[in-house]
Amino acid sequence: MRKSVVAIVGRPNVGKSTIFNRLAGERISIVEDTPGVTRDRIYTEAEWLNQPFNIIDTGGIEIGDAPFLVEIREQAELAIAEADVIIFMVNGREGITGADEEVAKILFRSNKPVVLAVNKVDNPEMRDQIYEFYSLGFGEPFPISGTHGLGLGDLLDAAVQHFPERAEMQEDEETIHFSLIGRPNVGKSSLVNALLNQERVIVSDVAGTTRDAVDSSFTREDQDFVIIDTAGMRKRGKVYETTEKYSILRALKAIERSDVVLVLINAEEGIIEQDKKIAGYAHDAGRAVVIVVNKWDTVESDEKKMKEFEDEIRAHFLYLDYAPIVFLSAKTKKRIHTLMPAILTASENHAKRIQTNVLNDVIMDALAMNPAPTYKGQRLKVLYATQVAVKPPAFAVFVNDPELMHFSYVRFLENRIREAFGFTGTPIKIFPRRRS
């Protein structure tokens, strides 16, 4: 289920970044008393009333010829287009300015739910100054203080009321959703086209949860699929085009909606550091992963070359040792038939459940083979294990003392579970628990 998106919008120097940092629980945005410090959108995750959501901090919208003002406004407008709810922030100490009215016009045109936040209301005596903000036309203004953290609960209560219904955000459980992520020019769009053309099936356009994107659905051997394409993710310091600066958040949203994530690598250029960072997003999200080496037709490929490239991938992507590697060419469709079986296998393993008695047979055999080591004179005792979740598969291992379970022993148990049950393509999680 995808997360709702909240954009914090306003003219420069009204305290957007301060509020963003408070909601995020950490100092992410740079906060200075200088207008225009936040030039790019910055995003993070937050939660309120058990509802997780993404927050976007934006540069201030302002009309003028100063450096970066045009780019800042474009960035903010892109954030508005992406948001489910907008927090429009103004400065309670300064009253309504011409720039506030310009921002209001932009927000009215967006037809998005807007919650008006009057910041820098640091004491009760200042509350009488908020009533003039009713004239902006967004209903009740919420007095808040970013410096002291006042009023944020009421503000978030109002924002959450505008979140899309969970039923609208839930994806079909039977349909396998997979996304393609990677830096620009690895061939994501070409691969989408190749898959849709190859399958010789009915193809329809299904509106995705991202308003300006369209997912592609198709059916193969009675199994429904949805391909979620994403813009290429480029290293932060090398992003120049305004529309590309937002690609990482879009990719993260696509990953959230995916059962399987295809991490594309360009065979011509080989592996670069950015590939590892991009793949880490999918791993951290707990999604099934297939590594796809595209443009394999452009290299002198043979079994030896493929093995060398695979060894290089394994060396660079140690945390993705469970992910299958597929070599293909989207352009020529060479070896493209190997991709869908890998996606199916990864998806099935991502949702696999293991019976408790069978799981414990494997765990006890592992303990007999390699007894738990002692730590500070105490020995770890593994009592039993059970699977507690899927997508990804997660296992609770009940022990006498969780602090005695070293990460290396967790890794050992994970390897034994993989040997017994496969789980190709999916991460698995093991949580040591003290038996109550």
Side-chain angles (χ1 to χ4, degrees):
M1 187 169 68
R2 79 170 183 91
K3 296 183 180 125
S4 296
V5 178
V6 176
I8 304 176
V9 176
R11 63 180 172 86
N13 209 31
V14 294
K16 296 184 298 298
S17 296
T18 301
I19 296 298
F20 174 87
N21 291 336
R22 278 203 172 268
L23 297 181
E26 56 183 321
R27 192 176 186 275
I28 298 173
S29 288
I30 299 171
V31 180
E32 292 183 19
D33 237 5
T34 306
V37 167
T38 305
R39 292 176 180 169
D40 295 338
R41 287 180 312 275
I42 306 174
Y43 59 89
T44 190
E45 296 178 346
E47 184 174 313
W48 186 252
L49 300 178
N50 295 320
Q51 294 198 54
F53 58 95
N54 288 317
I55 320 171
I56 310 171
D57 185 18
T58 65
I61 301 175
E62 189 169 296
I63 310 302
D65 298 323
F68 299 108
L69 282 183
V70 173
E71 291 84 354
I72 289 171
R73 177 170 174 162
E74 289 175 347
Q75 288 283 292
E77 288 179 335
L78 280 171
I80 291 167
E82 198 72 20
D84 296 300
V85 183
I86 298 161
I87 293 178
F88 176 22
M89 193 168 297
V90 294
N91 187 332
R93 295 177 182 173
E94 299 178 358
I96 297 175
T97 67
D100 291 327
E101 293 173 344
E102 290 295 330
V103 175
K105 291 177 184 178
I106 294 171
L107 297 182
F108 273 120
R109 291 197 298 267
S110 74
N111 292 318
K112 298 288 181 67
V114 176
V115 179
L116 179 60
V118 183
N119 192 24
K120 305 188 181 182
V121 181
D122 298 328
N123 57 69
E125 290 75 21
M126 296 180 64
R127 286 178 174 265
D128 292 339
Q129 301 174 22
I130 73 170
Y131 296 107
E132 68 170 300
F133 293 99
Y134 274 99
S135 64
L136 289 172
F138 294 107
E140 179 184 1
F142 289 86
I144 63 172
S145 170
T147 303
H148 303 292
L150 303 175
L152 296 184
D154 292 339
L155 178 67
L156 290 175
D157 284 345
V160 167
Q161 289 179 9
H162 295 291
F163 284 2
E165 293 292 330
R166 294 190 176 221
E168 295 176 16
M169 302 169 70
Q170 188 71 47
E171 305 288 0
D172 180 6
E173 288 289 334
E174 299 299 321
T175 301
I176 296 176
H177 294 73
F178 65 94
S179 58
L180 295 78
I181 65 173
R183 52 194 168 93
N185 302 319
V186 293
K188 294 184 297 298
S189 296
S190 298
L191 183 54
V192 169
N193 292 335
L195 286 172
L196 296 178
N197 291 334
Q198 162 136 346
E199 302 305 331
R200 301 177 183 271
V201 292
I202 298 172
V203 177
S204 61
D205 290 331
V206 180
T209 54
T210 303
R211 287 171 178 78
D212 57 354
V214 176
D215 298 343
S216 300
S217 65
F218 67 96
T219 302
R220 180 178 184 270
E221 296 180 1
D222 297 325
Q223 172 64 56
D224 294 329
F225 296 88
V226 172
I227 305 178
I228 307 167
D229 195 9
T230 62
M233 291 188 279
R234 183 168 290 177
K235 192 170 184 178
R236 185 173 181 80
K238 297 185 178 180
V239 177
Y240 302 100
E241 295 80 2
T242 299
T243 54
E244 279 192 15
K245 291 179 180 178
Y246 209 22
S247 62
I248 289 182
L249 179 58
R250 289 211 180 139
L252 293 176
K253 289 172 67 177
I255 289 170
E256 286 175 8
R257 297 174 49 219
S258 301
D259 300 299
V260 182
V261 177
L262 308 186
V263 177
L264 268 67
I265 296 173
N266 188 333
E268 288 180 296
E269 299 175 359
I271 301 165
I272 67 170
E273 193 65 29
Q274 185 68 356
D275 291 324
K276 292 186 278 187
K277 184 174 182 179
I278 290 169
Y281 292 128
H283 175 76
D284 292 343
R287 298 301 183 262
V289 174
V290 176
I291 299 173
V292 180
V293 182
N294 191 25
K295 305 186 182 183
W296 194 239
D297 58 306
T298 62
V299 300
E300 295 182 8
S301 57
D302 54 30
E303 291 297 323
K304 182 180 178 181
K305 182 71 173 179
M306 188 178 295
K307 181 64 168 60
E308 290 174 353
F309 207 111
E310 182 172 340
D311 291 343
E312 185 179 358
I313 290 173
R314 294 301 182 202
H316 283 281
F317 296 86
L318 295 174
Y319 58 92
L320 290 179
D321 57 352
Y322 55 83
I325 303 172
V326 174
F327 295 82
L328 54 78
S329 167
K331 182 178 180 180
T332 67
K333 298 184 180 178
K334 177 182 179 181
R335 295 180 52 84
I336 199 167
H337 65 279
T338 62
L339 179 57
M340 293 310 298
I343 293 173
L344 278 168
T345 297
S347 177
E348 290 170 0
N349 287 331
H350 197 228
K352 182 186 291 185
R353 285 192 179 275
I354 306 299
Q355 291 182 359
T356 299
N357 62 326
V358 178
L359 173 65
N360 279 282
D361 286 344
V362 171
I363 295 294
M364 294 307 139
D365 286 345
L367 293 173
M369 180 192 314
N370 183 13
T374 58
Y375 178 69
K376 292 185 178 180
Q378 291 182 289
R379 183 178 295 278
L380 174 73
K381 294 181 180 179
V382 178
L383 306 171
Y384 66 96
T386 186
Q387 185 171 354
V388 294
V390 296
K391 296 187 176 182
F395 303 91
V397 178
F398 292 88
V399 298
N400 58 331
D401 185 352
E403 293 186 3
L404 297 177
M405 182 174 272
H406 193 266
F407 74 86
S408 61
Y409 204 72
V410 172
R411 183 69 170 172
F412 165 72
L413 293 179
E414 177 184 336
N415 290 337
R416 299 292 81 77
I417 290 173
R418 288 191 181 279
E419 287 177 6
F421 306 113
F423 287 115
T424 298
T426 181
I428 65 175
K429 298 182 182 294
I430 296 178
F431 303 101
R433 293 286 185 266
R434 186 189 300 273
R435 187 173 68 173
S436 57

